[in-house]
mmCIF file of all heavy atoms in Angstrom:
data_model
loop_
_atom_site.group_PDB
_atom_site.id
_atom_site.type_symbol
_atom_site.label_atom_id
_atom_site.label_comp_id
_atom_site.label_asym_id
_atom_site.label_seq_id
_atom_site.Cartn_x
_atom_site.Cartn_y
_atom_site.Cartn_z
ATOM 1 N N SER X 2 -40.154 -8.429 30.343
ATOM 2 C CA SER X 2 -39.861 -8.620 28.915
ATOM 3 C C SER X 2 -38.458 -9.052 28.657
ATOM 4 O O SER X 2 -38.207 -9.654 27.629
ATOM 5 C CB SER X 2 -40.136 -7.367 28.141
ATOM 6 O OG SER X 2 -39.184 -6.309 28.513
ATOM 7 N N ALA X 3 -37.479 -8.887 29.587
ATOM 8 C CA ALA X 3 -36.186 -9.434 29.434
ATOM 9 C C ALA X 3 -36.112 -10.742 30.130
ATOM 10 O O ALA X 3 -36.449 -10.910 31.331
ATOM 11 C CB ALA X 3 -35.173 -8.457 30.087
ATOM 12 N N ALA X 4 -35.610 -11.773 29.346
ATOM 13 C CA ALA X 4 -35.410 -13.111 29.964
ATOM 14 C C ALA X 4 -33.987 -13.318 30.143
ATOM 15 O O ALA X 4 -33.360 -13.783 29.203
ATOM 16 C CB ALA X 4 -36.158 -14.120 29.021
ATOM 17 N N ASP X 5 -33.463 -13.090 31.235
ATOM 18 C CA ASP X 5 -32.045 -13.209 31.451
ATOM 19 C C ASP X 5 -31.795 -14.660 31.860
ATOM 20 O O ASP X 5 -32.436 -15.148 32.805
ATOM 21 C CB ASP X 5 -31.455 -12.170 32.446
ATOM 22 C CG ASP X 5 -31.526 -10.786 31.950
ATOM 23 O OD1 ASP X 5 -31.309 -10.563 30.735
ATOM 24 O OD2 ASP X 5 -31.755 -9.936 32.742
ATOM 25 N N LEU X 6 -30.787 -15.285 31.341
ATOM 26 C CA LEU X 6 -30.335 -16.631 31.746
ATOM 27 C C LEU X 6 -28.893 -16.505 32.217
ATOM 28 O O LEU X 6 -28.163 -15.606 31.844
ATOM 29 C CB LEU X 6 -30.406 -17.637 30.615
ATOM 30 C CG LEU X 6 -31.868 -17.822 30.018
ATOM 31 C CD1 LEU X 6 -31.866 -18.607 28.765
ATOM 32 C CD2 LEU X 6 -32.731 -18.498 31.058
ATOM 33 N N ARG X 7 -28.488 -17.426 33.081
ATOM 34 C CA ARG X 7 -27.088 -17.436 33.541
ATOM 35 C C ARG X 7 -26.290 -18.579 32.905
ATOM 36 O O ARG X 7 -26.975 -19.541 32.484
ATOM 37 C CB ARG X 7 -27.028 -17.509 35.076
ATOM 38 C CG ARG X 7 -27.501 -18.742 35.655
ATOM 39 C CD ARG X 7 -27.214 -18.812 37.176
ATOM 40 N NE ARG X 7 -27.684 -20.134 37.636
ATOM 41 C CZ ARG X 7 -26.911 -21.204 37.801
ATOM 42 N NH1 ARG X 7 -25.632 -21.124 37.511
ATOM 43 N NH2 ARG X 7 -27.408 -22.352 38.273
ATOM 44 N N ILE X 8 -25.112 -18.525 32.882
ATOM 45 C CA ILE X 8 -24.219 -19.670 32.534
ATOM 46 C C ILE X 8 -24.038 -20.523 33.734
ATOM 47 O O ILE X 8 -23.686 -20.097 34.789
ATOM 48 C CB ILE X 8 -22.863 -19.165 32.006
ATOM 49 C CG1 ILE X 8 -23.044 -18.360 30.686
ATOM 50 C CG2 ILE X 8 -21.924 -20.379 31.854
ATOM 51 C CD1 ILE X 8 -21.787 -17.746 30.198
ATOM 52 N N ASP X 9 -24.458 -21.811 33.602
ATOM 53 C CA ASP X 9 -24.341 -22.704 34.621
ATOM 54 C C ASP X 9 -22.875 -23.134 34.848
ATOM 55 O O ASP X 9 -22.254 -23.772 33.976
ATOM 56 C CB ASP X 9 -25.177 -23.975 34.425
ATOM 57 C CG ASP X 9 -25.147 -24.971 35.528
ATOM 58 O OD1 ASP X 9 -24.277 -24.882 36.456
ATOM 59 O OD2 ASP X 9 -26.061 -25.863 35.566
ATOM 60 N N PRO X 10 -22.200 -22.666 35.950
ATOM 61 C CA PRO X 10 -20.749 -22.840 36.073
ATOM 62 C C PRO X 10 -20.371 -24.372 36.329
ATOM 63 O O PRO X 10 -19.229 -24.687 36.087
ATOM 64 C CB PRO X 10 -20.443 -21.968 37.322
ATOM 65 C CG PRO X 10 -21.651 -21.765 38.051
ATOM 66 C CD PRO X 10 -22.717 -21.861 37.100
ATOM 67 N N THR X 11 -21.294 -25.173 36.803
ATOM 68 C CA THR X 11 -21.014 -26.515 37.104
ATOM 69 C C THR X 11 -21.084 -27.393 35.829
ATOM 70 O O THR X 11 -20.427 -28.464 35.752
ATOM 71 C CB THR X 11 -21.899 -27.134 38.166
ATOM 72 O OG1 THR X 11 -23.289 -27.014 37.722
ATOM 73 C CG2 THR X 11 -21.774 -26.451 39.461
ATOM 74 N N ARG X 12 -21.815 -26.968 34.827
ATOM 75 C CA ARG X 12 -21.990 -27.769 33.705
ATOM 76 C C ARG X 12 -21.343 -27.129 32.422
ATOM 77 O O ARG X 12 -21.290 -27.718 31.330
ATOM 78 C CB ARG X 12 -23.466 -28.018 33.384
ATOM 79 C CG ARG X 12 -24.135 -28.841 34.467
ATOM 80 C CD ARG X 12 -25.547 -29.225 34.106
ATOM 81 N NE ARG X 12 -26.465 -28.037 33.978
ATOM 82 C CZ ARG X 12 -27.560 -28.019 33.311
ATOM 83 N NH1 ARG X 12 -28.029 -29.120 32.756
ATOM 84 N NH2 ARG X 12 -28.294 -26.985 33.174
ATOM 85 N N SER X 13 -20.779 -25.969 32.532
ATOM 86 C CA SER X 13 -20.186 -25.306 31.396
ATOM 87 C C SER X 13 -18.653 -25.485 31.466
ATOM 88 O O SER X 13 -18.069 -25.719 32.584
ATOM 89 C CB SER X 13 -20.466 -23.787 31.482
ATOM 90 O OG SER X 13 -21.856 -23.584 31.322
ATOM 91 N N ARG X 14 -17.999 -25.337 30.332
ATOM 92 C CA ARG X 14 -16.513 -25.472 30.294
ATOM 93 C C ARG X 14 -15.960 -24.570 29.213
ATOM 94 O O ARG X 14 -16.608 -24.233 28.299
ATOM 95 C CB ARG X 14 -16.098 -26.823 30.202
ATOM 96 C CG ARG X 14 -16.345 -27.416 28.778
ATOM 97 C CD ARG X 14 -15.839 -28.917 28.692
ATOM 98 N NE ARG X 14 -15.861 -29.298 27.283
ATOM 99 C CZ ARG X 14 -16.888 -29.611 26.535
ATOM 100 N NH1 ARG X 14 -18.132 -29.524 27.090
ATOM 101 N NH2 ARG X 14 -16.805 -29.966 25.339
ATOM 102 N N ALA X 15 -14.628 -24.251 29.359
ATOM 103 C CA ALA X 15 -13.915 -23.554 28.322
ATOM 104 C C ALA X 15 -12.534 -24.160 28.184
ATOM 105 O O ALA X 15 -12.001 -24.651 29.165
ATOM 106 C CB ALA X 15 -13.825 -22.113 28.668
ATOM 107 N N GLU X 16 -12.074 -24.187 27.038
ATOM 108 C CA GLU X 16 -10.744 -24.800 26.791
ATOM 109 C C GLU X 16 -9.888 -23.965 25.867
ATOM 110 O O GLU X 16 -10.459 -23.093 25.066
ATOM 111 C CB GLU X 16 -10.998 -26.218 26.127
ATOM 112 C CG GLU X 16 -11.800 -27.145 26.935
ATOM 113 C CD GLU X 16 -12.186 -28.370 26.227
ATOM 114 O OE1 GLU X 16 -12.250 -28.454 24.986
ATOM 115 O OE2 GLU X 16 -12.522 -29.384 26.831
ATOM 116 N N PHE X 17 -8.660 -24.199 25.872
ATOM 117 C CA PHE X 17 -7.725 -23.565 24.950
ATOM 118 C C PHE X 17 -6.639 -24.621 24.534
ATOM 119 O O PHE X 17 -6.392 -25.598 25.219
ATOM 120 C CB PHE X 17 -7.002 -22.342 25.603
ATOM 121 C CG PHE X 17 -5.787 -22.730 26.423
ATOM 122 C CD1 PHE X 17 -4.525 -22.691 25.879
ATOM 123 C CD2 PHE X 17 -5.932 -23.002 27.755
ATOM 124 C CE1 PHE X 17 -3.417 -22.999 26.655
ATOM 125 C CE2 PHE X 17 -4.825 -23.388 28.551
ATOM 126 C CZ PHE X 17 -3.586 -23.329 27.996
ATOM 127 N N ALA X 18 -6.049 -24.399 23.385
ATOM 128 C CA ALA X 18 -5.068 -25.266 22.856
ATOM 129 C C ALA X 18 -4.036 -24.437 22.027
ATOM 130 O O ALA X 18 -4.497 -23.549 21.240
ATOM 131 C CB ALA X 18 -5.566 -26.460 22.027
ATOM 132 N N VAL X 19 -2.740 -24.674 22.076
ATOM 133 C CA VAL X 19 -1.729 -23.991 21.346
ATOM 134 C C VAL X 19 -0.666 -24.988 20.968
ATOM 135 O O VAL X 19 -0.341 -25.856 21.786
ATOM 136 C CB VAL X 19 -1.158 -22.738 22.142
ATOM 137 C CG1 VAL X 19 -0.502 -23.226 23.368
ATOM 138 C CG2 VAL X 19 -0.211 -21.909 21.239
ATOM 139 N N ARG X 20 -0.210 -24.945 19.667
ATOM 140 C CA ARG X 20 0.841 -25.847 19.225
ATOM 141 C C ARG X 20 2.149 -25.502 19.851
ATOM 142 O O ARG X 20 2.607 -24.352 19.853
ATOM 143 C CB ARG X 20 0.914 -25.812 17.688
ATOM 144 C CG ARG X 20 -0.303 -26.116 17.006
ATOM 145 C CD ARG X 20 -0.639 -27.596 16.863
ATOM 146 N NE ARG X 20 0.384 -28.310 16.143
ATOM 147 C CZ ARG X 20 0.507 -29.572 16.137
ATOM 148 N NH1 ARG X 20 -0.374 -30.365 16.845
ATOM 149 N NH2 ARG X 20 1.401 -30.184 15.420
ATOM 150 N N LEU X 21 2.881 -26.483 20.253
ATOM 151 C CA LEU X 21 4.229 -26.376 20.768
ATOM 152 C C LEU X 21 5.191 -27.101 19.857
ATOM 153 O O LEU X 21 5.063 -28.309 19.598
ATOM 154 C CB LEU X 21 4.315 -26.982 22.217
ATOM 155 C CG LEU X 21 5.670 -27.013 22.881
ATOM 156 C CD1 LEU X 21 6.148 -25.598 23.083
ATOM 157 C CD2 LEU X 21 5.564 -27.755 24.239
ATOM 158 N N LEU X 22 6.206 -26.400 19.435
ATOM 159 C CA LEU X 22 7.212 -26.978 18.438
ATOM 160 C C LEU X 22 6.612 -27.726 17.180
ATOM 161 O O LEU X 22 7.146 -28.562 16.720
ATOM 162 C CB LEU X 22 8.113 -27.913 19.202
ATOM 163 C CG LEU X 22 8.968 -27.327 20.261
ATOM 164 C CD1 LEU X 22 9.757 -28.336 21.058
ATOM 165 C CD2 LEU X 22 9.948 -26.269 19.699
ATOM 166 N N TRP X 23 5.417 -27.234 16.807
ATOM 167 C CA TRP X 23 4.652 -27.812 15.652
ATOM 168 C C TRP X 23 4.518 -29.283 15.670
ATOM 169 O O TRP X 23 4.233 -29.919 14.695
ATOM 170 C CB TRP X 23 5.435 -27.386 14.366
ATOM 171 C CG TRP X 23 5.419 -25.812 14.298
ATOM 172 C CD1 TRP X 23 4.424 -25.056 13.775
ATOM 173 C CD2 TRP X 23 6.431 -24.915 14.774
ATOM 174 N NE1 TRP X 23 4.709 -23.735 13.934
ATOM 175 C CE2 TRP X 23 5.961 -23.604 14.534
ATOM 176 C CE3 TRP X 23 7.614 -25.088 15.422
ATOM 177 C CZ2 TRP X 23 6.644 -22.487 14.883
ATOM 178 C CZ3 TRP X 23 8.328 -23.985 15.816
ATOM 179 C CH2 TRP X 23 7.819 -22.733 15.578
ATOM 180 N N VAL X 24 4.754 -29.873 16.850
ATOM 181 C CA VAL X 24 4.549 -31.352 16.936
ATOM 182 C C VAL X 24 3.582 -31.718 18.023
ATOM 183 O O VAL X 24 2.746 -32.628 17.771
ATOM 184 C CB VAL X 24 5.945 -31.976 17.441
ATOM 185 C CG1 VAL X 24 5.907 -33.406 17.664
ATOM 186 C CG2 VAL X 24 7.079 -31.624 16.406
ATOM 187 N N SER X 25 3.533 -31.023 19.139
ATOM 188 C CA SER X 25 2.595 -31.361 20.146
ATOM 189 C C SER X 25 1.744 -30.184 20.438
ATOM 190 O O SER X 25 1.903 -29.104 19.969
ATOM 191 C CB SER X 25 3.337 -31.802 21.455
ATOM 192 O OG SER X 25 4.036 -30.824 21.942
ATOM 193 N N THR X 26 0.680 -30.452 21.270
ATOM 194 C CA THR X 26 -0.223 -29.434 21.629
ATOM 195 C C THR X 26 -0.274 -29.185 23.170
ATOM 196 O O THR X 26 -0.424 -30.195 23.859
ATOM 197 C CB THR X 26 -1.657 -29.670 21.092
ATOM 198 O OG1 THR X 26 -1.528 -29.843 19.665
ATOM 199 C CG2 THR X 26 -2.662 -28.624 21.435
ATOM 200 N N VAL X 27 -0.306 -27.983 23.617
ATOM 201 C CA VAL X 27 -0.467 -27.634 25.071
ATOM 202 C C VAL X 27 -1.946 -27.249 25.122
ATOM 203 O O VAL X 27 -2.355 -26.366 24.436
ATOM 204 C CB VAL X 27 0.535 -26.510 25.462
ATOM 205 C CG1 VAL X 27 0.148 -26.120 26.846
ATOM 206 C CG2 VAL X 27 1.960 -26.912 25.291
ATOM 207 N N SER X 28 -2.646 -27.852 26.037
ATOM 208 C CA SER X 28 -4.066 -27.589 26.132
ATOM 209 C C SER X 28 -4.459 -27.536 27.638
ATOM 210 O O SER X 28 -3.753 -28.086 28.510
ATOM 211 C CB SER X 28 -4.930 -28.584 25.421
ATOM 212 O OG SER X 28 -4.729 -29.806 25.912
ATOM 213 N N GLY X 29 -5.557 -26.915 27.884
ATOM 214 C CA GLY X 29 -6.074 -26.851 29.265
ATOM 215 C C GLY X 29 -7.523 -26.461 29.248
ATOM 216 O O GLY X 29 -8.025 -26.087 28.271
ATOM 217 N N SER X 30 -8.156 -26.686 30.387
ATOM 218 C CA SER X 30 -9.583 -26.274 30.548
ATOM 219 C C SER X 30 -9.704 -25.410 31.771
ATOM 220 O O SER X 30 -9.083 -25.523 32.712
ATOM 221 C CB SER X 30 -10.395 -27.555 30.566
ATOM 222 O OG SER X 30 -10.132 -28.245 31.772
ATOM 223 N N PHE X 31 -10.704 -24.510 31.695
ATOM 224 C CA PHE X 31 -11.110 -23.564 32.765
ATOM 225 C C PHE X 31 -12.219 -24.139 33.497
ATOM 226 O O PHE X 31 -13.278 -24.403 32.835
ATOM 227 C CB PHE X 31 -11.375 -22.195 32.201
ATOM 228 C CG PHE X 31 -10.211 -21.496 31.524
ATOM 229 C CD1 PHE X 31 -10.068 -21.649 30.144
ATOM 230 C CD2 PHE X 31 -9.438 -20.714 32.256
ATOM 231 C CE1 PHE X 31 -8.962 -21.022 29.526
ATOM 232 C CE2 PHE X 31 -8.255 -20.093 31.593
ATOM 233 C CZ PHE X 31 -8.108 -20.213 30.244
ATOM 234 N N GLU X 32 -12.080 -24.344 34.757
ATOM 235 C CA GLU X 32 -13.234 -24.837 35.603
ATOM 236 C C GLU X 32 -14.051 -23.676 36.101
ATOM 237 O O GLU X 32 -15.225 -23.921 36.483
ATOM 238 C CB GLU X 32 -12.712 -25.682 36.708
ATOM 239 C CG GLU X 32 -12.160 -26.986 36.274
ATOM 240 C CD GLU X 32 -11.701 -27.894 37.379
ATOM 241 O OE1 GLU X 32 -11.881 -27.518 38.584
ATOM 242 O OE2 GLU X 32 -11.228 -28.968 37.060
ATOM 243 N N GLY X 33 -13.535 -22.474 36.127
ATOM 244 C CA GLY X 33 -14.286 -21.304 36.616
ATOM 245 C C GLY X 33 -14.764 -20.507 35.460
ATOM 246 O O GLY X 33 -14.124 -19.681 34.919
ATOM 247 N N ILE X 34 -16.019 -20.790 35.097
ATOM 248 C CA ILE X 34 -16.649 -20.030 33.999
ATOM 249 C C ILE X 34 -18.071 -19.559 34.496
ATOM 250 O O ILE X 34 -18.722 -20.403 35.148
ATOM 251 C CB ILE X 34 -16.748 -20.895 32.674
ATOM 252 C CG1 ILE X 34 -17.431 -20.009 31.573
ATOM 253 C CG2 ILE X 34 -17.473 -22.181 32.887
ATOM 254 C CD1 ILE X 34 -17.372 -20.670 30.160
ATOM 255 N N ARG X 35 -18.415 -18.379 34.280
ATOM 256 C CA ARG X 35 -19.695 -17.867 34.635
ATOM 257 C C ARG X 35 -20.089 -16.692 33.713
ATOM 258 O O ARG X 35 -19.244 -16.342 32.841
ATOM 259 C CB ARG X 35 -19.663 -17.348 36.138
ATOM 260 C CG ARG X 35 -18.736 -16.219 36.320
ATOM 261 C CD ARG X 35 -18.616 -15.855 37.842
ATOM 262 N NE ARG X 35 -17.791 -14.751 38.082
ATOM 263 C CZ ARG X 35 -16.452 -14.700 37.912
ATOM 264 N NH1 ARG X 35 -15.747 -15.782 37.506
ATOM 265 N NH2 ARG X 35 -15.758 -13.657 38.200
ATOM 266 N N GLY X 36 -21.302 -16.295 33.830
ATOM 267 C CA GLY X 36 -21.745 -15.131 33.012
ATOM 268 C C GLY X 36 -23.192 -15.334 32.773
ATOM 269 O O GLY X 36 -23.977 -15.905 33.560
ATOM 270 N N ASP X 37 -23.745 -14.688 31.714
ATOM 271 C CA ASP X 37 -25.175 -14.613 31.494
ATOM 272 C C ASP X 37 -25.400 -14.385 29.940
ATOM 273 O O ASP X 37 -24.583 -14.094 29.166
ATOM 274 C CB ASP X 37 -25.774 -13.529 32.300
ATOM 275 C CG ASP X 37 -25.133 -12.209 32.168
ATOM 276 O OD1 ASP X 37 -25.096 -11.676 31.018
ATOM 277 O OD2 ASP X 37 -24.730 -11.591 33.180
ATOM 278 N N LEU X 38 -26.714 -14.578 29.621
ATOM 279 C CA LEU X 38 -27.225 -14.275 28.363
ATOM 280 C C LEU X 38 -28.485 -13.399 28.600
ATOM 281 O O LEU X 38 -29.346 -13.784 29.332
ATOM 282 C CB LEU X 38 -27.660 -15.575 27.626
ATOM 283 C CG LEU X 38 -28.243 -15.360 26.321
ATOM 284 C CD1 LEU X 38 -27.409 -16.183 25.287
ATOM 285 C CD2 LEU X 38 -29.701 -15.734 26.184
ATOM 286 N N SER X 39 -28.354 -12.204 28.063
ATOM 287 C CA SER X 39 -29.419 -11.171 28.217
ATOM 288 C C SER X 39 -30.187 -11.098 26.933
ATOM 289 O O SER X 39 -29.681 -10.953 25.851
ATOM 290 C CB SER X 39 -28.898 -9.785 28.553
ATOM 291 O OG SER X 39 -28.157 -9.793 29.768
ATOM 292 N N ILE X 40 -31.542 -11.247 27.008
ATOM 293 C CA ILE X 40 -32.356 -11.239 25.809
ATOM 294 C C ILE X 40 -33.173 -10.002 25.798
ATOM 295 O O ILE X 40 -33.853 -9.576 26.749
ATOM 296 C CB ILE X 40 -33.236 -12.527 25.897
ATOM 297 C CG1 ILE X 40 -32.530 -13.750 25.874
ATOM 298 C CG2 ILE X 40 -34.318 -12.409 24.625
ATOM 299 C CD1 ILE X 40 -33.293 -15.042 26.048
ATOM 300 N N ASP X 41 -33.123 -9.395 24.591
ATOM 301 C CA ASP X 41 -34.047 -8.257 24.358
ATOM 302 C C ASP X 41 -35.160 -8.830 23.486
ATOM 303 O O ASP X 41 -35.072 -8.984 22.191
ATOM 304 C CB ASP X 41 -33.252 -7.161 23.646
ATOM 305 C CG ASP X 41 -34.142 -5.896 23.311
ATOM 306 O OD1 ASP X 41 -35.359 -5.997 23.266
ATOM 307 O OD2 ASP X 41 -33.496 -4.770 23.160
ATOM 308 N N ARG X 42 -36.269 -9.099 24.075
ATOM 309 C CA ARG X 42 -37.396 -9.708 23.275
ATOM 310 C C ARG X 42 -37.994 -8.842 22.185
ATOM 311 O O ARG X 42 -38.420 -9.258 21.221
ATOM 312 C CB ARG X 42 -38.567 -10.150 24.259
ATOM 313 C CG ARG X 42 -38.081 -11.158 25.272
ATOM 314 C CD ARG X 42 -38.804 -12.454 25.055
ATOM 315 N NE ARG X 42 -38.383 -13.419 26.031
ATOM 316 C CZ ARG X 42 -37.792 -14.594 25.664
ATOM 317 N NH1 ARG X 42 -37.524 -14.854 24.428
ATOM 318 N NH2 ARG X 42 -37.473 -15.441 26.645
ATOM 319 N N GLU X 43 -37.962 -7.586 22.440
ATOM 320 C CA GLU X 43 -38.483 -6.613 21.548
ATOM 321 C C GLU X 43 -37.598 -6.574 20.216
ATOM 322 O O GLU X 43 -38.151 -6.648 19.130
ATOM 323 C CB GLU X 43 -38.576 -5.224 22.139
ATOM 324 C CG GLU X 43 -39.439 -4.230 21.244
ATOM 325 C CD GLU X 43 -39.688 -3.043 22.039
ATOM 326 O OE1 GLU X 43 -40.245 -3.051 23.161
ATOM 327 O OE2 GLU X 43 -39.363 -1.887 21.573
ATOM 328 N N ALA X 44 -36.357 -6.548 20.385
ATOM 329 C CA ALA X 44 -35.397 -6.475 19.265
ATOM 330 C C ALA X 44 -35.161 -7.923 18.738
ATOM 331 O O ALA X 44 -34.492 -8.095 17.648
ATOM 332 C CB ALA X 44 -34.149 -5.786 19.628
ATOM 333 N N ARG X 45 -35.499 -9.025 19.481
ATOM 334 C CA ARG X 45 -35.228 -10.353 19.193
ATOM 335 C C ARG X 45 -33.715 -10.579 19.018
ATOM 336 O O ARG X 45 -33.280 -11.196 18.126
ATOM 337 C CB ARG X 45 -35.996 -10.849 17.926
ATOM 338 C CG ARG X 45 -37.469 -10.656 18.081
ATOM 339 C CD ARG X 45 -38.420 -11.751 17.699
ATOM 340 N NE ARG X 45 -37.970 -13.032 17.420
ATOM 341 C CZ ARG X 45 -37.911 -14.123 18.212
ATOM 342 N NH1 ARG X 45 -38.414 -14.008 19.433
ATOM 343 N NH2 ARG X 45 -37.564 -15.350 17.796
ATOM 344 N N THR X 46 -33.017 -10.094 19.999
ATOM 345 C CA THR X 46 -31.572 -10.236 20.060
ATOM 346 C C THR X 46 -31.132 -10.706 21.539
ATOM 347 O O THR X 46 -31.863 -10.689 22.421
ATOM 348 C CB THR X 46 -30.823 -8.948 19.695
ATOM 349 O OG1 THR X 46 -31.113 -7.986 20.705
ATOM 350 C CG2 THR X 46 -31.138 -8.474 18.259
ATOM 351 N N ALA X 47 -29.863 -11.196 21.549
ATOM 352 C CA ALA X 47 -29.315 -11.566 22.728
ATOM 353 C C ALA X 47 -27.819 -11.192 22.914
ATOM 354 O O ALA X 47 -27.229 -11.012 21.813
ATOM 355 C CB ALA X 47 -29.440 -13.123 22.971
ATOM 356 N N VAL X 48 -27.336 -10.961 24.140
ATOM 357 C CA VAL X 48 -25.946 -10.711 24.292
ATOM 358 C C VAL X 48 -25.383 -11.766 25.324
ATOM 359 O O VAL X 48 -26.039 -12.007 26.404
ATOM 360 C CB VAL X 48 -25.734 -9.304 24.881
ATOM 361 C CG1 VAL X 48 -24.339 -9.083 25.310
ATOM 362 C CG2 VAL X 48 -26.183 -8.256 23.881
#
């Protein structure tokens, strides 16, 4: 009844950006992202 899915680390990405001196932006991306999505079919919710 639980349909767990995983985060595909090769096709997923995460990024951040922060302003530096209110003129430029420092940004980067994380290549190492993983995790999952757990579904509770009875409650119709996911985490």
Side-chain angles (χ1 to χ4, degrees):
S2 66
D5 294 325
L6 298 170
R7 70 175 179 92
I8 294 174
D9 183 341
T11 60
R12 297 187 297 161
S13 301
R14 71 179 191 287
E16 301 171 337
F17 84 94
V19 61
R20 300 282 296 168
L21 176 64
L22 296 174
W23 299 273
V24 177
S25 64
T26 301
V27 174
S28 61
S30 62
F31 296 91
E32 291 184 1
I34 180 171
R35 64 187 182 286
D37 53 58
L38 180 122
S39 299
I40 298 173
D41 182 336
R42 295 249 182 242
E43 194 170 301
R45 303 229 5 103
T46 60
V48 172

